[in-house]
């Protein structure tokens, strides 16, 4: 059977043809407004790529049916999870590629296809993965609420038409719409011809419709909830500037940046005085027609009005998305990136230079630094003159040296903020679980220190020092959802392993040439049986922790595998007591076998094509190696499987290529004859079982199969085991002729690497042979699992002493980071410098020096480290002063006159980032300019902050104001007993 027959779909082409066709469609398809694209789970797509690239139809990476389960919040509504990220959680494929994949592999029953449209948004075409989902209701009955999804390019008129139809509004009725945000404020949707995007309508909002009365009046001037909200706001009087910002959905990064800028005195006072109205630049091609400045001014005036607990910056967020498409939607972003865009946008919207002249830049050519710097600053101000330049711009000196001709190029460039690097450690701390070869030993959690640029072998070497296990006997794997997401090669880079990954290191016996690494999964069968379809099926769900162990490559008996697995699970699988009733009548077993065959062929609802005739006949009747003289006694093989672990190795475990019967890739120890033939291979397995399980060594020779009186009968059984399987209709008579036998705890099934789709393990009735990385699942009946599998024990682990040693938090001084910023570095290959003397690009050395500093200095701590191979966030604590940050030692200009401004700064605000790379939350600390009190801003919640709380490892962007420009507070600091609280905390 080939991989093409694993599900009831059309016969797909060859793997190379599949790969070529899909890659061609992905490469050539362009986004066009109105086209359909489809969302596909990234893990499934990567599994498919691995399968087609392997070129092997029987590869263990066969992906099975398209499965988007991981993308849904629940399987009832099939609602997408929030904050899914393209290329990390899902892939987008064009319609043609989707239909081909669907034709070749099919899809999990009941799952909807995730079709999404391409929409034409300002300055970009985008697949709208998350349409806007809003709630709709009538003003006359605001309890009857329905939800609906609309594209951002739909007009408000389309929403009105949908509401008229949904609520059976009489044709010709005059209607008007209001939109209500989460903070209970309402706004009229006056222009029904604008798009959902332009109307600032976002997911989670409510659209309220009211119809005109017969007397020509409206039921209300505005919905009741709006009046209540307005009255509450009218009655509130608070400290200006102490106001939260509502989280619109992953907008904490924006709120953090806005609160820092709001508490920058010179900029805020400029807007509160309405000075910006005289300087709005509507003609600057680099600006936003004054819209960003006006939207920012609205936010600042609301924050500093003292009349709001919290402000909803919805209009501002929409304006930012209009002019910077990277901020469209509601995914998490970087507060520093938004800050950079906002300062540049405000500068261009408020640029006093209406017509920028062309200025040719000159190199220093040996001129004095003072002369070159003054010229550079004059040229900069001739093209850039705004409140942003006045407040935030400084000047640094850039020196480039050619490594070949030693040409020195000196330029002076303006900056708006300093991005300073953090010292990066060359080592990394990893937490892993070590699984010993001793089956009775619990997994041990270790904390090891490894080279950051090291390999997996370095992890094994570090762990070897703690465990005294040779690194060559370790295999490292990433365990995800009870299966192996990846089994690592010793030469792979440790950068492939993320801190959040669950890493298990398995101790293995010494490998020989005839052994192969086997991955063992645990699955539990579901009780259901689907009688509604043409063929019945059983489901199986993975559980517990997978295992790795070596088995003979050439083949081994199913009894030996069963015993080996039972031994490996000895810590949490209880062997049956001989007195326990596990026997079954053969006539009862007939039904069980039929169900077992259905289960093997169709686990998880994936049907196989018709097997070969030899497979259709089913397995031969169990042929025990020895008959017990007692009529009720089980066979030796079955008894060995059910009795305590230490006795497993006393069963005959010789191997022969023709002995083991396989039906559709499944192994059932209870239906297997003892193996014969190559005793040495069996001996190896027994030795491995002894080594891994710690059982007593096997007898030097196999136990005699039976007494002489039964010798002739045994020979007949062995001969029958070597013969082809009899027709299925001969089985009942044979079953009725047999006696009782002992039932197995579990059955064995070959699967793919996902542990879902069954795999073949050879052809027809050949022996179990492992030629590549095999994956095997042991399937438990729920009743057997409940009786013999100890879930609590299986989940237990112990912590190594290394876990108890507290991790020392690295602390660096802010001055060290600034020194690193001014250190000589060599340009990267991606960014060479063109040497005018050599007439070619060179990897020159570059040095930056501070020349002049602005009134407000923004320092960005580069916590996010991105390289070709790694992405990480540095949680180093940076020790930054709240007062008297002295830059005199870093300024290149040492001969400052008394007219020059001082270089001492005080902290006024901090933007914080908590969490990791993909997820996290932004907050801010800021000092109120009027009363000098520090506050902690967490979206809509505002609380008092003490100065000793401000310095944390979450500090990301620092705002300093030069001391000569700091104005003394005009109000006394408030008492902490009346700490304000602006709504509830909202997190991302």
């Amino acid at each position: 059977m080939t991989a093409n027959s694993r599900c009831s779909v059309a016969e797909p082409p060859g793997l190379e043809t599949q790969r070529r066709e899909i890659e061609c469609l992905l490469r050539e398809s362009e986004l066009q407004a109105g086209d359909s694209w489809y969302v596909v789970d990234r893990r499934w797509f990567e599994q498919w790529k691995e399968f087609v690239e392997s070129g092997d139809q029987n590869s263990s990476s066969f992906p099975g049916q398209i499965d988007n389960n991981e993308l849904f919040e629940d399987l009832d509504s099939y609602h997408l999870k929030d904050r899914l990220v393209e290329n990390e959680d899902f892939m987008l494929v064009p319609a043609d590629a989707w239909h081909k994949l669907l034709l070749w592999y099919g899809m999990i029953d009941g799952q909807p296809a995730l079709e999404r449209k391409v929409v034409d948004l300002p300055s970009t075409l985008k697949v709208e993965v998350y349409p806007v989902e809003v709630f709709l209701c009538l003003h006359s009955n605001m309890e009857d609420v329905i939800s609906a999804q609309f594209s951002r390019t739909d007009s408000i008129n389309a929403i009105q038409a949908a509401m008229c139809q949904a609520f059976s509004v009489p044709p010709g009725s005059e209607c008007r719409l209001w939109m209500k945000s989460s903070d209970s404020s309402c706004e009229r949707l006056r222009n029904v011809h604008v798009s959902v995007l332009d109307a600032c309508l976002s997911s989670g909002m409510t659209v309220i419709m009211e119809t005109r009365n017969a007397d020509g009046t409206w039921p209300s001037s505005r919905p009741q909830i709006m009046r209540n909200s307005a009255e509450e706001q009218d009655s509130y009087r608070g400290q200006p500037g102490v106001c939260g910002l509502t989280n619109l959905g992953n907008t904490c990064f924006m709120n953090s940046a806005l609160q820092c800028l709001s508490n920058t005195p010179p900029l805020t006072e400029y807007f509160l005085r309405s000075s910006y109205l005289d300087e709005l630049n509507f003609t600057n091609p680099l600006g936003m027609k004054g819209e960003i400045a006006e939207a920012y001014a609205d936010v600042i005036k609301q924050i500093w009005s003292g009349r709001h607990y919290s402000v909803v910056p919805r209009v501002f967020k929409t304006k930012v998305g209009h002019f910077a498409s990277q901020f469209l939607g509601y995914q998490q972003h970087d507060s520093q990136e938004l800050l950079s865009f906002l300062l540049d946008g405000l500068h261009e919207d408020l640029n006093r230079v209406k017509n920028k002249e062309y200025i040719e830049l000159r190199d220093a050519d040996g001129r004095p630094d003072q002369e070159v710097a003054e010229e550079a600053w004059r040229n900069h101000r001739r093209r850039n003159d705004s409140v942003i330049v006045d407040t935030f711009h400084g000047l640094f000196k850039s020196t480039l040296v050619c490594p070949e001709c030693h040409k020195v190029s000196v330029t002076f460039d303006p900056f708006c903020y300093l991005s300073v690097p953090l010292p990066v450690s060359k080592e990394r701390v990893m937490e892993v679980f070590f699984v010993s070869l001793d089956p009775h030993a619990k997994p041990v959690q270790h904390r090891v220190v490894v080279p950051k640029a090291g390999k997996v072998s370095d992890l094994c070497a570090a762990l070897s020092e703690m465990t005294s296990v040779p690194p060559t006997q370790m295999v490292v794997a990433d365990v995800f959802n009870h299966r192996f997401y990846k089994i690592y090669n010793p030469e792979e880079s440790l950068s492939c392993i993320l801190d959040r990954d669950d890493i298990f290191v398995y101790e293995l016996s010494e490998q020989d040439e005839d052994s192969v690494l086997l991955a063992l999964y645990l699955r539990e069968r579901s009780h259901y049986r689907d009688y509604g379809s043409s063929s019945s099926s059983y489901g199986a769900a993975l559980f517990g922790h997978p295992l790795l162990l070596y088995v003979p490559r050439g083949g081994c008996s199913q009894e030996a595998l069963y015993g080996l697995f039972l031994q490996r699970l000895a810590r949490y699988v209880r062997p049956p007591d001989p007195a326990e009733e596990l026997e079954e009548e053969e006539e009862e077993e007939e039904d069980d076998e039929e169900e077992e065959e259905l289960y093997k062929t169709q686990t998880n609802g994936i049907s196989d094509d018709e097997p070969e005739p030899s497979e259709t006949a089913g397995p031969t009747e169990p042929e025990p190696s020895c008959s017990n003289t007692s009529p009720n006694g089980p066979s030796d093989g079955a008894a060995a499987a059910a009795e305590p672990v230490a006795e497993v190795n006393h069963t005959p475990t010789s191997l022969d290529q023709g002995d083991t019967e396989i039906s559709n890739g499944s192994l059932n120890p209870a239906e297997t004859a003892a193996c014969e033939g190559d005793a040495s291979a069996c001996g190896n397995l027994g030795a491995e079982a002894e080594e891994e399980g710690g059982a007593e060594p096997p007898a030097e020779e196999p136990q005699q199969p039976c007494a002489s009186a039964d010798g002739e009968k045994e020979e007949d059984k062995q001969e029958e085991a070597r013969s082809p399987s009899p027709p299925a209709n001969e089985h009942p008579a044979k079953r009725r002729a047999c006696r009782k036998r002992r039932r197995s705890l579990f059955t064995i099934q070959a699967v793919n690497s996902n542990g879902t789709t069954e795999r073949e393990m050879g052809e027809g009735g050949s022996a179990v042979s492992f030629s590549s990385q095999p994956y095997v699942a042991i399937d438990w009946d729920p009743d057997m699992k409940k009786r013999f599998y100890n879930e609590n024990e299986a989940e237990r682990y112990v912590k190594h002493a290394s876990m108890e040693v507290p991790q020392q938090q690295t602390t660096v001084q802010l001055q060290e980071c600034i020194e690193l910023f001014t250190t000589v570095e060599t340009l990267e290959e991606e960014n060479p410098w063109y040497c005018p003397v050599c007439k070619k690009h060179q990897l020159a050395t570059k040095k930056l020096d501070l020349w002049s500093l602005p009134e407000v200095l923004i320092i960005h701590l580069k916590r996010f480290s991105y390289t070709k191979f790694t992405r990480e966030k540095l949680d180093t604590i940076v020790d930054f002063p709240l007062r008297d940050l002295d830059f005199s030692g870093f300024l290149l200009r040492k001969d400052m006159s008394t007219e020059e401004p001082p270089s001492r700064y005080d902290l006024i605000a901090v933007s914080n980032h908590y969490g990791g790379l993909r997820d996290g939350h932004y907050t801010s600390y800021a000092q109120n300019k009027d009363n000098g009190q520090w506050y902690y801003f967490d979206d809509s919640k505002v609380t008092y902050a003490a100065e000793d709380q401000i310095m944390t490892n979450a500090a990301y962007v620092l705002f300093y104001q030069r001391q000569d420009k700091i104005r003394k507070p005009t109000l006394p600091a408030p008492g902490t007993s009346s700490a304000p609280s602006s709504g509830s905390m909202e997190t991302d």
Side-chain angles (χ1 to χ4, degrees), residues 75 159 281 315 320 329 357 379 512 626 697 765 810 909:
L75 298 182
I159 298 180
N281 189 332
V315 175
V320 169
E357 58 181 306
N379 289 338
D512 56 40
C626 174
T810 308

Side-chain angles (χ1 to χ4, degrees), residues 46 91 208 213 240 300 330 361 378 400 430 458 461 471 474 674 676 684 686 734 783 798 804 855 873 936:
E46 292 296 330
M91 309 292 293
I208 304 169
N213 295 324
I300 293 299
Y330 292 90
L361 299 179
R378 279 196 309 272
L400 290 163
M430 297 183 67
D458 295 317
M474 295 182 183
E676 292 183 73
N684 288 343
K734 291 195 174 188
D783 295 332
V798 295
E804 305 302 327
E855 176 183 344
K873 183 193 172 188
Y936 180 62

Side-chain angles (χ1 to χ4, degrees), residues 322-491:
H322 267 294
F323 295 106
S325 59
Q326 68 267 32
F327 297 114
L328 271 173
Y330 292 90
Q331 290 188 359
Q332 183 66 278
H333 293 283
D334 190 310
S335 67
Q336 187 272 331
E337 290 178 4
L338 176 84
L339 189 65
S340 175
F341 161 78
L342 181 54
L343 289 175
D344 186 59
L346 289 174
H347 160 64
E348 297 296 355
D349 268 3
L350 300 169
N351 199 343
R352 303 172 186 118
V353 178
K354 306 304 180 186
N355 298 302
K356 296 187 178 184
E357 58 181 306
Y358 172 74
I359 299 173
E360 186 172 348
L361 299 179
R362 296 171 55 199
D363 198 58
D365 288 332
R367 292 181 294 159
D369 283 351
Q370 185 73 25
E371 178 185 338
V372 179
E374 289 176 357
E375 178 185 83
W377 186 247
R378 279 196 309 272
N379 289 338
H380 178 60
R381 294 302 295 254
R382 284 163 65 185
R383 292 174 55 85
N384 303 279
D385 183 15
S386 70
V387 66
I388 302 299
V389 175
D390 298 342
T391 308
F392 297 101
H393 282 206
L395 200 66
F396 60 67
K397 176 186 176 183
S398 174
T399 306
L400 290 163
V401 180
C402 177
E404 193 171 307
C405 69
H406 304 292
K407 156 74 176 174
V408 178
S409 173
V410 175
T411 57
F412 285 82
D413 302 302
F415 66 85
C416 190
Y417 53 86
L418 297 180
S419 286
V420 299
L422 273 62
V424 180
S425 170
K426 295 184 179 180
E427 292 182 331
R428 172 185 177 186
V429 176
M430 297 183 67
E431 293 183 3
V432 300
F433 290 92
F434 176 73
V435 181
S436 170
L437 197 60
D438 178 5
H440 296 281
K442 297 182 181 73
V444 182
Q445 188 181 24
H446 291 261
R447 185 177 285 154
V448 293
V449 179
V450 294
K452 188 170 285 186
K455 300 178 180 178
V456 171
S457 56
D458 295 317
L459 170 60
C460 294
L463 196 57
S464 176
E465 294 181 7
M466 294 183 176
T467 61
S468 300
V469 174
T472 53
Q473 289 180 229
M474 295 182 183
V475 171
V476 179
D478 180 357
V479 176
F480 176 77
N481 276 356
H482 314 290
R483 63 180 177 84
F484 292 115
Y485 182 66
K486 184 168 185 180
I487 299 175
Y488 290 97
N489 184 297
E491 294 304 308

Side-chain angles (χ1 to χ4, degrees), residues 130-159:
Y130 290 99
V132 176
E133 185 169 357
V134 295
F135 300 102
L136 310 176
C137 68
L138 291 177
H139 178 261
S140 58
N141 184 9
M142 296 181 66
E143 301 297 322
D144 182 18
V145 180
I146 63 172
S147 64
Q149 289 187 341
F150 298 94
S151 169
R152 288 168 178 80
T153 56
D154 287 342
S155 68
I156 299 300
N157 203 32
I159 298 180

